[in-house]
Amino acid sequence: MSNALNAFAVESFIDEAAKAAGKDPVAYRMAALARHPRAKAVLEAAVKKSGYTAGSKRFGVAQMECYDTYSACILELDNAASETKVKKITFVSDCGIAVHPDQARAQLMGGVVYGLSAAMNNAITIENGRVQQNNFNNYPSLCQNQVPVIEAHLIPSQEKPGGLGEVGVPLVAPALVNAISAATGKRIRELPVKA
């Protein structure tokens, strides 16, 4: 799961760098992706499909390549809620040739749910040298009524097939903290967010 750890650190830092430069986080990333057409294409598609608007205080963005798959995630907060509540997550991937596109999108959506569960709720705690969480009763995934709208899109591609096993997980946490930072000005550097 090193992709999740790296994505959280790198994509949070990129957002901080964009803010320090006085740039929109998407524009900042686009400028760096001039020589990376697949990465740029997924980010452009995520922006278009999510309804992202520059300068908005409700969106967080993250993008990366892992397992030869390029992905971008745009998370939208529900600013009308009194606490952190995710309204919508738009996830776009270029996994090369998708042999079973419906199954590929379903895999991405499942990963997004797991990534959001981990980012919002799940902590591993140690007591007397033992991990306290041992099953879903004390390390729960989000229930269906807690899951926001999730859209998963694939970029048509003729590149060799890439992996999708964990691709939906890593980008959710950085997109979430980047959205919270945009909305509140507060930078979260530890997960889960509620802790």
Side-chain angles (χ1 to χ4, degrees), residues 23-46:
K23 303 274 187 184
D24 174 75
V26 168
Y28 190 82
R29 285 172 173 83
M30 288 290 193
L33 295 174
R35 292 189 293 175
H36 304 277
R38 292 177 74 191
K40 189 173 182 181
V42 294
L43 186 54
E44 286 172 337

Side-chain angles (χ1 to χ4, degrees), residues 2-20:
S2 64
N3 285 310
L5 302 175
N6 291 336
F8 182 70
V10 170
E11 288 300 299
S12 296
F13 176 77
I14 289 174
D15 244 50
E16 288 187 62
K19 184 176 182 179

Side-chain angles (χ1 to χ4, degrees), residues 3 23 25 32 55 86 91 124 140 148 171 184:
N3 285 310
K23 303 274 187 184
V86 179
F91 203 95
I124 300 291
L171 294 179
T184 67

Side-chain angles (χ1 to χ4, degrees), residues 30-114:
M30 288 290 193
L33 295 174
R35 292 189 293 175
H36 304 277
R38 292 177 74 191
K40 189 173 182 181
V42 294
L43 186 54
E44 286 172 337
V47 166
K48 183 177 180 182
K49 292 177 183 302
S50 69
Y52 178 91
T53 49
S56 173
K57 302 284 187 201
R58 66 182 194 273
F59 291 103
V61 60
Q63 66 98 201
M64 71 181 296
E65 179 271 325
C66 63
Y67 306 111
D68 294 324
T69 295
Y70 294 80
S71 299
C73 177
I74 297 187
L75 183 144
E76 182 180 358
L77 293 177
D78 182 350
N79 284 352
S82 59
E83 58 186 35
T84 301
K85 183 176 179 186
V86 179
K87 181 177 180 180
K88 180 181 171 186
I89 298 175
T90 304
F91 203 95
V92 177
S93 287
D94 174 353
C95 62
I97 296 170
V99 179
H100 297 289
D102 288 342
Q103 191 172 22
R105 283 188 289 277
Q107 180 70 29
L108 291 172
M109 293 172 84
V112 167
V113 171
Y114 186 74

